[in-house]
Amino acid sequence: MTEADLIRLFVSPFLPDEVLKGVGDDCAVVKVGQESLLITTDTMLEGIHFDLGYFDPYHLGRKLAAVNLSDIAAMGGRPLFATLNLEWPPSRGLKEARDLSSGLLSRLSEAEVALVGGDTVKAPRIGLTLTIIGRPEGQGPIYRQGARPGDIIYVSGPLGASGAALELLRKGIRPPEPLLRAHLDPQPELNLGQQLARDGLATAMIDISDGLGIDLFRLCQASGVGAEIHASFIPYPEELDLLPLENPPLFYILAGGEDYRLLFTAKEERGAEVQGLGAYPIGRIVSGDHPVLIDEKGRRRNISFAGYDHFR
Amino acid sequence: MTEADLIRLFVSPFLPDEVLKGVGDDCAVVKVGQESLLITTDTMLEGIHFDLGYFDPYHLGRKLAAVNLSDIAAMGGRPLFATLNLEWPPSRGLKEARDLSSGLLSRLSEAEVALVGGDTVKAPRIGLTLTIIGRPEGQGPIYRQGARPGDIIYVSGPLGASGAALELLRKGIRPPEPLLRAHLDPQPELNLGQQLARDGLATAMIDISDGLGIDLFRLCQASGVGAEIHASFIPYPEELDLLPLENPPLFYILAGGEDYRLLFTAKEERGAEVQGLGAYPIGRIVSGDHPVLIDEKGRRRNISFAGYDHFR
């Protein structure tokens, strides 16, 4: 059984017209009366997605919010309301719960999101489900599916920091501050996502949650196109060259995951506007069906490998 | 630590005007542009909320949906969209997942609700979180807080069947069919809830999920009133008198839980309209702050006892 097998079982066989997008993008998009809504939800389980050995409850709360906010950012949306389902062991102290709450509420209030409800249940281990409802800005939502050959591919910032930090944390090494921060307290790029939607700049967008390789592959699949990106154009933190890591920087860039940067495409003629927003061009959409990386020596590599599948 | 301590930690210290109701009713109520939305969410964990020893996956899926749909019914709402967060052990077969999905999707499609997204994660035990978004009908939403002294109190159907069935199932006894069905496959009362909202009939409403005692207490607290109900007026299935149960019928009526009937109040002058919808009058709202039961011998009993607290 793969994760995809499981997901397929829970897809409605038909959807009403009010569902503009079901499974298969960063958020579901639905219409209620005259309004379009974005809906996203994530579950994080102790022992699977986090380990309180190196994740304090405060930052866990912030990250839970950030992961969901990043999905709203990736549609060019404004987040509005959240619900929390808290699975909590009665043996845990009230202090851990208070720290978790204060991290979660701090990150939500930075994004002007109100926590409006949820459910609290007894459980053997901590489990957290956050659901956020938002609205697309301007000309949004921006889907994964609008990229066309000739479009320029951008990332919103350096990649690989979070994956490298996780490797060090698992070995009991404290990563340098910027890498640690990238892993424990990622910054959802709401302002950039909203600006791209208001200005109608991005033709397609996704957030980089599992690594540039698989997430660019997803964008290509949704758009029915291929991509060529240049290794030397991809920004990454210099620490990846300096630290005693198990792999070269490109590994963390392509497959490290949890960067929560935006990956998007735009028409070439709007390049000056996009770069004015601080994004980095890394290549171009081409006809085809998968992404190719061109390395420093001009060699072409297929990078459409799948991410890690927990269920396989 | 009590469940209330924990919930209090996750309540936003302040809420924007767009939040018409946060924690403290059957659904949160929010405004997006011109539209009001209802949001409800429930988590059910294996070993805590259900046991696949007597709950087959198909009915588990149906019940997960019914529990959430009942919350929408209790606001006088129409459910529209759902998301599912599935915690699933890789060791479980695909057949169990398929049965769960088919139960869930059958109940959702009966209510014309589209499953639009979610999250799937590996877990040691099955955990299910369903979130439903809906809209209030007519003059709704109907809150818990609008009951006034003089209003008549109604329930939408017989009570106690589910709690009695659970007692038998836990002892390995198969309950008679109507009781078994009440526990495994409760019917959310969407039509009645919507009718009450369209006609502006109910002054306050809640669904009976934890038992008539605690749920009537909650309605009284939210409305700032007391209540007098008559034991002899409360409908219950005759099986409660005939089966070898550990307690008298009144126990299952007041504290059995999981009936998912609607409990509501209406002005006395609209009694004919309400009874035309098939609801049962069981007493009257009075000034005060808690519900009182008047038994067959005219004795008054305080029934504002708290439900079972998993965290205490």
Side-chain angles (χ1 to χ4, degrees):
Chain A
M1 176 169 61
T2 66
E3 189 170 350
D5 291 334
L6 205 50
I7 291 171
R8 237 186 320 269
L9 289 180
F10 290 90
V11 173
S12 290
F14 54 91
L15 291 172
D17 291 346
E18 290 74 27
V19 181
L20 305 179
K21 177 58 86 175
V23 172
D25 215 307
D26 294 280
C27 294
V29 185
V30 299
K31 267 212 121 66
V32 177
Q34 294 310 304
E35 302 295 334
S36 293
L37 299 181
L38 307 172
I39 311 170
T40 184
T41 184
D42 268 286
T43 297
M44 291 172 61
L45 300 183
E46 186 175 10
I48 309 272
H49 301 94
F50 62 89
D51 176 342
L52 287 180
Y54 54 80
F55 232 117
D56 61 283
Y58 177 84
H59 283 101
L60 178 62
R62 285 184 65 84
K63 187 156 183 177
L64 175 68
V67 166
N68 273 277
L69 291 169
S70 182
D71 283 322
I72 299 279
M75 306 297 287
R78 176 176 300 280
L80 300 171
F81 309 107
T83 57
L84 173 71
N85 300 69
L86 179 66
E87 303 169 21
W88 195 257
S91 60
R92 299 270 187 172
L94 210 52
K95 175 173 182 335
E96 272 178 310
R98 193 176 294 119
D99 289 347
L100 177 73
S101 148
S102 109
L104 176 70
L105 292 175
S106 70
R107 176 56 92 197
L108 288 178
S109 79
E110 284 161 27
E112 297 178 41
V113 173
L115 188 63
V116 299
D119 194 11
T120 306
V121 300
K122 183 177 79 159
R125 298 199 292 182
I126 298 174
L128 305 165
T129 290
L130 193 75
T131 303
I132 297 188
I133 295 175
R135 277 171 106 171
E137 285 280 290
Q139 302 175 47
I142 303 167
Y143 295 99
R144 296 179 182 175
Q145 70 210 25
R148 295 291 169 264
D151 288 358
I152 306 296
I153 303 168
Y154 297 89
V155 294
S156 62
L159 301 179
S162 178
L166 180 59
E167 180 183 304
L168 295 173
L169 286 167
R170 285 193 169 142
K171 289 177 171 168
I173 303 168
R174 188 181 164 87
E177 198 54 35
L179 268 61
L180 185 65
R181 185 152 301 279
H183 185 70
L184 293 186
D185 201 18
Q187 306 294 316
E189 310 214 60
L190 287 162
N191 289 338
L192 176 61
Q194 290 164 15
Q195 194 64 51
L196 292 169
R198 275 196 295 270
D199 297 347
L201 276 175
T203 52
M205 185 150 63
I206 186 172
D207 76 327
I208 303 178
S209 53
D210 293 336
L212 177 61
I214 180 71
D215 289 318
L216 180 54
F217 176 69
R218 287 171 177 147
L219 186 147
C220 286
Q221 289 284 304
S223 294
V225 297
E228 285 178 1
I229 60 172
H230 297 269
S232 57
F233 293 0
I234 307 170
Y236 66 89
E238 61 175 1
E239 286 88 348
L240 300 198
D241 282 323
L242 306 174
L243 287 166
L245 293 165
E246 287 177 14
N247 297 284
L250 206 50
F251 174 85
Y252 304 97
I253 290 169
L254 292 176
E258 300 205 285
D259 284 311
Y260 301 108
R261 302 288 186 180
L262 296 178
L263 169 67
F264 63 96
T265 56
K267 295 284 163 231
E268 182 162 21
E269 63 266 27
R270 308 202 66 177
E273 287 171 86
V274 175
Q275 292 194 46
L277 299 175
Y280 300 78
I282 62 167
R284 190 183 285 274
I285 295 295
V286 297
S287 61
D289 64 0
H290 67 272
V292 166
L293 178 88
I294 298 167
D295 73 14
E296 287 78 354
K297 298 183 173 147
R299 288 172 305 204
R300 300 169 63 85
R301 282 173 51 186
N302 180 347
I303 53 162
S304 59
F305 43 77
Y308 177 67
D309 188 332
H310 282 296
F311 288 89
R312 212 184 280 273
Chain B
M1 178 168 62
T2 66
E3 188 170 351
D5 292 333
L6 205 50
I7 291 171
R8 239 187 319 270
L9 289 179
F10 291 89
V11 174
S12 292
F14 55 92
L15 291 172
D17 291 345
E18 289 74 27
V19 181
L20 305 180
K21 177 57 84 174
V23 173
D25 215 307
D26 294 281
C27 295
V29 186
V30 300
K31 267 214 120 70
V32 176
Q34 294 309 306
E35 302 294 336
S36 293
L37 299 181
L38 307 172
I39 311 171
T40 183
T41 184
D42 269 284
T43 296
M44 290 171 62
L45 300 182
E46 187 176 8
I48 308 273
H49 301 93
F50 61 89
D51 176 342
L52 287 180
Y54 54 81
F55 232 117
D56 62 285
Y58 177 83
H59 283 102
L60 178 61
R62 285 183 65 84
K63 186 156 182 177
L64 176 68
V67 166
N68 273 276
L69 291 169
S70 182
D71 283 323
I72 299 280
M75 306 298 287
R78 177 177 299 280
L80 300 170
F81 310 108
T83 57
L84 174 70
N85 300 70
L86 179 65
E87 304 169 21
W88 194 257
S91 61
R92 298 271 185 170
L94 210 53
K95 173 168 182 341
E96 271 178 311
R98 192 174 298 120
D99 290 348
L100 177 73
S101 149
S102 106
L104 176 70
L105 292 175
S106 70
R107 175 56 92 196
L108 288 179
S109 79
E110 285 162 25
E112 296 178 41
V113 173
L115 188 63
V116 298
D119 195 10
T120 306
V121 300
K122 182 177 79 160
R125 298 199 291 182
I126 298 174
L128 305 165
T129 290
L130 193 75
T131 304
I132 296 187
I133 295 174
R135 275 171 108 172
E137 286 279 294
Q139 303 175 49
I142 303 166
Y143 296 101
R144 296 178 182 177
Q145 69 209 24
R148 295 293 169 262
D151 289 358
I152 305 297
I153 304 167
Y154 297 88
V155 294
S156 62
L159 301 179
S162 178
L166 180 60
E167 180 183 303
L168 296 174
L169 286 167
R170 285 196 168 138
K171 290 178 170 170
I173 303 169
R174 188 180 165 87
E177 198 55 33
L179 268 60
L180 185 64
R181 185 151 303 279
H183 186 69
L184 294 185
D185 200 18
Q187 307 293 316
E189 310 214 59
L190 288 162
N191 289 339
L192 176 61
Q194 290 164 15
Q195 193 65 50
L196 292 169
R198 274 196 295 272
D199 295 348
L201 276 175
T203 53
M205 185 151 62
I206 186 172
D207 75 327
I208 303 177
S209 54
D210 293 336
L212 177 61
I214 180 72
D215 289 317
L216 179 55
F217 176 68
R218 287 172 176 143
L219 187 147
C220 285
Q221 289 285 301
S223 294
V225 298
E228 286 179 358
I229 59 173
H230 296 269
S232 56
F233 293 180
I234 308 171
Y236 65 89
E238 61 175 1
E239 286 87 349
L240 300 198
D241 282 323
L242 307 174
L243 287 165
L245 293 164
E246 288 176 12
N247 296 287
L250 206 49
F251 174 85
Y252 305 97
I253 290 168
L254 292 176
E258 301 205 284
D259 284 311
Y260 301 109
R261 302 288 186 178
L262 296 178
L263 169 66
F264 63 95
T265 56
K267 295 282 163 235
E268 182 162 21
E269 63 265 29
R270 307 201 66 178
E273 286 171 86
V274 176
Q275 292 196 45
L277 299 174
Y280 301 77
I282 62 167
R284 190 184 286 272
I285 295 294
V286 297
S287 61
D289 64 1
H290 67 272
V292 167
L293 178 88
I294 299 167
D295 73 14
E296 287 79 355
K297 296 184 176 148
R299 288 172 305 203
R300 299 169 63 87
R301 281 173 51 186
N302 180 347
I303 53 164
S304 59
F305 44 78
Y308 178 67
D309 187 332
H310 283 298
F311 288 88
R312 210 183 283 272

